[in-house]
Amino acid sequence: MPLYLNDDQNMLRDTAREFMAAEGAIGGQLRHWRDIGCKDGFGHGLWKQFAALGFTGILIPEGDGGLGLGHVEAGIVLEEIGRNLTPSPFLITAVAVVEALKGTPHGARWFPGILAGETVAALAVDEGRKHRPEEIEMRAERSGNGFRLSGAKQFVVQGASADLIVVAARAEEGVTLFAVEKAASGLETEGVRLVDSSIGARMELRDVEVDADAVIGEVGGGEAVLGRVLSAGRAGAAAEMVGLGSQAMAMTVDYLKQRKQFGRLIGEFQALQHRSAHLYSELEIARAATLKAQQLLDEESDEAEAMVSVAKAKAGAASRLAVQEGVQMHGGIGMTDEYDIGLYMKRDRVLNELFGDAAYHADRLARMRGY
């Protein structure tokens, strides 16, 4: 497929761009919820506006009331979220968790709330300081007609606000995913403010009892489902980083056209022009890799998983370069709260770690290719 958007996708981009710039902008959202110490880190009113525009149903099948679109369209919305640092549950709830619930009985239970912008969901996978889904140790032991879940999870984005938590645990048969409701007895959640002012959570599951209906997919078959969920989340995070990096570059170029030094605009200095051109090239490569990964996911291609790792690694490296160059070219004021560029650097740090950083995916791709 060509690496550009079709007419319908361009219309979606224009709608999302206008909406995020007006309603999801940094000043009206991120700074507001941060400065009042909001326990959620995002506005539920804005989440309902996402729903009114149909964004929350992009990946939900038409038969379940959604739009039945694909990862390319979800990525379009995420790129605009990244441009504006819009705090929302979109990536985890409407992309990762929706991917987990598609084609299961849980969809009928949770999709209506997601479509209405009333339900927030979380994904509890990581247990250590880094993203290592291969090392899941949380236990799922048989108990009556269900399971007893025991263990701890880290870095559960929006976990403190979630109505539903998709939990990955290890049963005797293998990794299994469970749909756990926030009111489950034995579930303890501690909200933690991350460096970008979003809210993550540490979770303790102390003998949480769930019945057999809580299993997502098959017992012991969670690795396949989790693979799809993580691929969706990684491609989505890559798209958000492309948007973040693009806006950081745009802000920096605009600053270069205004700031004077030694009586000249600093944008006239050839060294800064070369660095800006290099950054532009890196971001365009990241955008192309991300779009290709999304297209392959929509085609259910065997190459999708590998391309998703390429996209996550490349987008991570490009967005990091964008925020580092941005802060440096702004000078010391770049990390003051008066200027937004420092907020982009903080969000980049979270997105790079979410679903695995560039080093993790470079290693993962090498292993997939037999190295």
Side-chain angles (χ1 to χ4, degrees):
M1 295 181 66
L3 292 176
Y4 55 81
L5 304 179
N6 62 32
D7 290 343
D8 290 339
Q9 291 163 347
N10 277 317
M11 288 177 61
L12 173 62
R13 181 199 61 194
D14 293 343
T15 299
R17 182 166 296 178
E18 181 179 351
F19 172 74
M20 298 300 169
E23 302 294 335
I26 298 172
Q29 294 295 329
L30 187 150
R31 289 182 183 275
H32 172 72
W33 300 115
R34 180 201 65 180
D35 293 347
I36 67 171
C38 176
K39 66 179 181 62
D40 297 318
F42 66 90
H44 290 271
L46 184 68
W47 185 227
K48 289 188 176 182
Q49 288 180 273
F50 270 60
L53 288 169
F55 294 160
T56 61
I58 282 178
L59 288 179
I60 295 177
E62 290 183 274
D64 292 316
L67 297 180
L69 299 175
H71 293 281
V72 172
E73 287 78 13
I76 290 169
V77 175
L78 281 161
E79 185 169 338
E80 299 311 315
I81 287 174
R83 286 183 192 277
N84 294 278
L85 302 187
T86 306
S88 82
F90 184 83
L91 174 58
I92 304 298
T93 299
V95 177
V97 171
V98 163
E99 188 65 30
L101 304 185
K102 280 198 299 190
T104 75
H106 299 282
R109 166 72 175 86
W110 295 105
F111 284 167
I114 294 174
L115 286 167
E118 297 172 350
T119 295
V120 174
L123 182 64
V125 176
D126 295 327
E127 299 175 3
R129 291 178 297 173
K130 303 289 284 186
H131 177 68
R132 296 293 184 269
E134 307 86 359
E135 300 174 3
I136 292 171
E137 295 182 357
M138 177 171 283
R139 303 304 303 173
E141 300 174 339
R142 295 279 184 178
S143 176
N145 70 337
F147 292 84
R148 181 185 299 113
L149 306 180
S150 302
K153 295 292 184 181
Q154 304 277 354
F155 199 26
V156 184
V157 178
Q158 279 114 31
S161 310
D163 305 290
L164 163 71
I165 304 99
V166 174
V167 178
R170 193 172 296 278
E172 184 178 350
E173 298 86 346
V175 172
T176 306
L177 297 188
F178 297 89
V180 179
E181 298 194 30
K182 66 177 180 180
S185 178
L187 173 62
E188 298 180 7
T189 302
E190 176 192 4
V192 180
R193 190 170 297 278
L194 304 178
V195 68
D196 66 339
S197 300
S198 64
I199 307 296
R202 299 187 182 101
M203 289 186 169
E204 288 277 350
L205 282 78
R206 302 179 185 274
D207 296 331
V208 173
E209 299 277 355
V210 295
D211 59 31
D213 291 339
V215 174
I216 299 173
E218 300 292 333
V219 177
E223 288 191 4
V225 181
L226 185 59
R228 296 199 309 271
V229 172
L230 293 179
S231 288
R234 288 162 178 165
E240 188 170 341
M241 285 191 289
V242 168
L244 180 157
S246 297
Q247 184 61 20
M249 182 185 73
M251 293 166 59
T252 302
V253 170
D254 184 61
Y255 184 75
L256 296 181
K257 293 177 179 179
Q258 298 179 36
R259 178 77 166 94
K260 286 188 176 182
Q261 196 171 53
F262 307 116
R264 295 177 59 190
L265 292 171
I266 61 176
E268 296 177 4
F269 299 145
Q270 193 174 59
L272 297 186
Q273 292 175 353
H274 287 172
R275 287 164 62 179
S276 298
H278 173 242
L279 174 57
Y280 174 81
S281 300
E282 291 297 296
L283 284 168
E284 287 304 302
I285 294 169
R287 177 175 282 107
T290 300
L291 179 55
K292 187 62 177 179
Q294 293 162 347
Q295 291 174 343
L296 292 175
L297 283 174
D298 289 336
E299 295 170 5
E300 299 183 359
S301 168
D302 293 338
E303 290 296 313
E305 190 175 2
M307 197 65 207
V308 164
S309 279
V310 171
K312 183 64 166 67
K314 186 61 184 177
S319 68
R320 178 170 297 181
L321 178 64
V323 297
Q324 288 177 341
E325 291 285 63
V327 168
Q328 188 173 51
M329 291 185 193
H330 274 75
I333 61 171
M335 284 306 291
T336 63
D337 199 57
E338 180 182 354
Y339 283 77
D340 290 340
I341 188 66
L343 301 177
Y344 282 81
M345 174 172 275
K346 292 173 182 178
R347 179 59 179 162
D348 169 73
R349 290 302 304 127
V350 172
L351 283 173
N352 256 286
E353 292 295 332
L354 186 62
F355 300 121
D357 60 14
Y360 172 85
H361 284 287
D363 178 73
R364 183 171 182 267
L365 185 63
R367 293 176 184 274
M368 291 172 67
R369 295 301 189 223
Y371 292 98

